[in-house]
Amino acid sequence: MPIFVAKGVSSVSMRELSKELGVSTGTLYHYFPTKEILFASMVRQVVAIDAKEITELSENHSGLADIMNFVGSRETHFMNLMLLAVDVKRQLSESTELTQLVEDSFAAYRTALDRFFPADASVMSGKAFLSFFLGALFLKNKATEETGWPALFEGLENLKVLFQSKE
């Protein structure tokens, strides 16, 4: 995945991928006829692992601190996924398969997070958390000073209070 993040999905060649993975180009083509198929397979696997771990947190009745630790410990991982999603949307928007991959990936995270944050059916807690997390991740990586996840989540709690006072 690092080579895709560094160069962009459309700029990476199968030869570069085979070198990065330590396999022959022929072997790579045998299992993955195109780099897009390899990329999609990689993303699906990574997202499935993340969604499974979030679901396990939910099943273990974990608290907010646990989800904070989960996302905080994988900050670079999630930033890379976000950069790849943006790359696909900007550079490969004509590829319906890859744009659908991005949509399916976000849906998998939303579904797992909906399980983690129990709410009534009219509230999309997973989508709200994902929106907050992606925005905070972007801002956190652009900040000039270090901001920890607990402080960001505290800010989210303050935002909730503001919205409730408007009702």
Side-chain angles (χ1 to χ4, degrees):
M1 187 161 77
I3 192 169
F4 284 120
V5 174
K7 296 187 83 173
V9 178
S10 61
S11 297
V12 176
S13 70
M14 287 293 270
R15 180 171 279 121
E16 290 172 309
L17 286 169
S18 67
K19 183 178 177 186
E20 182 84 10
L21 295 171
V23 298
S24 72
T25 306
T27 299
L28 193 60
Y29 273 113
H30 176 76
Y31 290 101
F32 302 99
T34 68
K35 70 178 171 190
E36 290 80 10
I37 291 172
L38 179 126
F39 175 75
S41 176
M42 177 202 64
V43 169
R44 281 189 196 97
Q45 181 179 9
V46 166
V47 170
I49 290 167
D50 288 344
K52 180 179 181 262
E53 290 184 34
I54 294 168
T55 300
E56 287 172 358
L57 285 173
S58 170
E59 291 168 354
N60 293 331
H61 306 290
S62 301
L64 188 56
D66 296 312
I67 197 73
M68 285 173 33
N69 289 334
F70 175 80
V71 298
S73 68
R74 292 165 177 81
E75 188 174 321
T76 301
H77 165 76
F78 287 117
M79 186 64 170
N80 287 341
L81 286 175
M82 186 168 62
L83 291 171
L84 288 171
V86 169
D87 182 51
V88 166
K89 290 289 196 169
R90 290 186 69 193
Q91 304 297 326
L92 300 164
S93 59
E94 73 283 350
S95 170
T96 56
E97 293 83 14
L98 291 182
T99 54
Q100 188 62 50
L101 173 69
V102 171
E103 297 301 321
D104 292 346
S105 297
F106 280 113
Y109 285 114
R110 279 192 309 265
T111 299
L113 288 164
D114 277 337
R115 288 187 197 117
F116 184 84
F117 295 104
D120 65 47
S122 66
V123 178
M124 297 173 68
S125 301
K127 185 175 183 178
F129 179 83
L130 190 57
S131 297
F132 163 77
F133 173 68
L134 292 175
L137 182 62
F138 179 77
L139 291 174
K140 188 174 186 320
N141 282 281
K142 294 296 180 191
T144 56
E145 63 183 59
E146 179 63 28
T147 304
W149 284 104
L152 289 169
F153 279 93
E154 185 178 311
L156 181 61
E157 186 64 32
N158 293 337
L159 187 61
K160 178 181 153 189
V161 170
L162 287 173
F163 276 110
Q164 288 174 338
S165 69
K166 288 283 194 184
E167 294 177 353

